[in-house]
Amino acid sequence: VQLVESGGGLAQAGGSLSLSCVASGRTYDDYTIGWFRQAPGKALESVAGIRIDDGDTYITDSVKGRFTISIDAARDTAYMQMNSLLPEDTAVYYCAFGDMAHFHLPDGDRHIKAWGQGTQVTVSS
């Protein structure tokens, strides 16, 4: 599986940005596409994931109500809309492909099957 992500950039606090991730290769419908992020000096953190077949989602508590994730299963493309951005959302966001469990279990990133190239999201105060 190969992942190509786009979007991100610079926004002011309270603003919005969006990310997209296109998966290609052998993508299995019971897998999940989503994002992890890594802020400077911090560990990798799971943000959100969505299952390709049924649209089941996981969203980490710190972004609930502000970030939404969706999928175009026919195009194996996931989207994340990020609203009400906070400076603490500043990070490199990595698209990820794997089992849903690995998006919300400790150290789940170790089991992710494929990663995107990463895209910078910077939120200014």
Side-chain angles (χ1 to χ4, degrees):
V1 176
Q2 295 79 44
L3 303 175
V4 177
E5 52 186 314
S6 59
L10 176 65
Q12 291 186 331
S16 299
L17 290 170
S18 62
L19 301 175
S20 63
C21 179
V22 180
S24 61
R26 297 196 66 182
T27 58
Y28 299 96
D29 287 349
D30 60 348
Y31 275 83
T32 294
I33 301 176
W35 278 270
F36 285 70
R37 68 185 180 184
Q38 188 165 29
K42 295 190 176 181
L44 198 60
E45 173 191 25
S46 177
V47 179
I50 185 166
R51 279 175 57 106
I52 297 173
D53 57 357
D54 62 7
D56 185 34
T57 61
Y58 164 77
I59 299 179
T60 195
D61 286 346
S62 63
V63 306
K64 278 182 180 176
R66 302 188 296 118
F67 291 14
T68 57
I69 189 168
S70 60
I71 192 163
D72 181 340
R75 294 179 172 83
D76 286 334
T77 301
Y79 305 92
M80 187 161 71
Q81 179 65 37
M82 304 180 290
N83 297 328
S84 302
L85 285 163
L86 303 171
E88 47 264 45
D89 294 319
T90 295
V92 177
Y93 284 69
Y94 296 94
C95 183
F97 177 84
D99 188 88
M100 175 61 86
H102 301 142
F103 283 80
H104 58 83
L105 292 177
D107 296 328
D109 59 284
R110 298 180 182 181
H111 304 284
I112 291 296
K113 296 187 179 298
W115 293 96
Q117 77 275 19
T119 188
Q120 178 71 45
V121 170
T122 302
V123 184
S124 62
S125 59

